[in-house]
Amino acid sequence: FALATRVKASMRLLLLSAAAFAVAIMLFAHAPDLPLALAVLVCTGILSVSFNATNNTLLQVEAREDVRGRVLSLYMFLMIGTTPLGSAVTGFVANSFDVRLALQINGGLCLIGLALAALLLRYRRARELRSFAPVDPGMSPESGASDRRTVG
């Protein structure tokens, strides 16, 4: 509700909701009693909706119009199409070892994915900043100067 009314979708909100979701999953894995587990699950649900709504909004707003349909179909494939694979692995770990271990692994994988995404975003931002580096004003085309240097 807050995302639709007051909060502007941003990459920061996306990363924060993903991090909080991962932490909530790990907290749920360690919940000692049912009331605390239910409270953490409510938080997990809210964070999941926040992440999905922000992600979907950013994809639709940032994607170029000519490829928006392709971007959204790839997004849907990755979000919905791969869920059965992750669920099967999580179910296997929970059945073979422990449910808490399966939840810890899922939360850890969320944090690893988040760290990789943050590193990629930082790298992209640094690359963009380098490409927009200020140009030496003495070498601008308006001043009549050229790039060629003369030896005198």
Side-chain angles (χ1 to χ4, degrees):
F1 178 72
L3 184 63
T5 57
R6 294 196 173 105
V7 179
K8 183 181 177 194
S10 67
M11 191 58 67
R12 170 180 249 160
L13 178 61
L14 185 71
L15 295 176
L16 287 175
S17 62
F21 176 80
V23 170
I25 289 289
M26 294 180 115
L27 285 174
F28 177 61
H30 295 288
D33 55 6
L34 185 60
L36 183 60
L38 292 175
V40 172
L41 278 178
V42 168
C43 292
T44 303
I46 291 168
L47 292 166
S48 176
V49 169
S50 173
F51 174 81
N52 286 324
T54 304
N55 195 18
N56 198 2
T57 301
L58 286 175
L59 279 174
Q60 290 189 38
V61 169
E62 297 294 328
R64 288 190 340 241
E65 192 172 330
D66 60 327
V67 295
R68 187 172 297 143
R70 293 178 187 142
V71 169
L72 290 174
S73 66
L74 182 61
Y75 165 72
M76 294 305 288
F77 168 72
L78 291 173
M79 291 298 288
I80 295 172
T82 59
T83 299
L85 298 174
S87 297
V89 172
T90 299
F92 173 77
V93 172
N95 192 38
S96 300
F97 301 102
D98 186 30
V99 173
R100 292 176 188 256
L101 176 64
L103 290 170
Q104 290 170 353
I105 289 171
N106 285 342
L109 288 173
C110 286
L111 289 175
I112 290 169
L114 179 64
L116 290 174
L119 286 173
L120 178 67
L121 287 171
R122 177 174 280 180
Y123 173 75
R124 275 185 58 199
R125 186 169 291 147
R127 209 169 100 199
E128 286 174 4
L129 289 175
R130 275 185 266 141
S131 68
F132 292 119
V135 178
D136 181 14
M139 302 298 278
S140 70
E142 296 88 34
S143 67
S146 69
D147 261 339
R148 282 184 258 143
R149 296 183 182 198
T150 57
V151 178

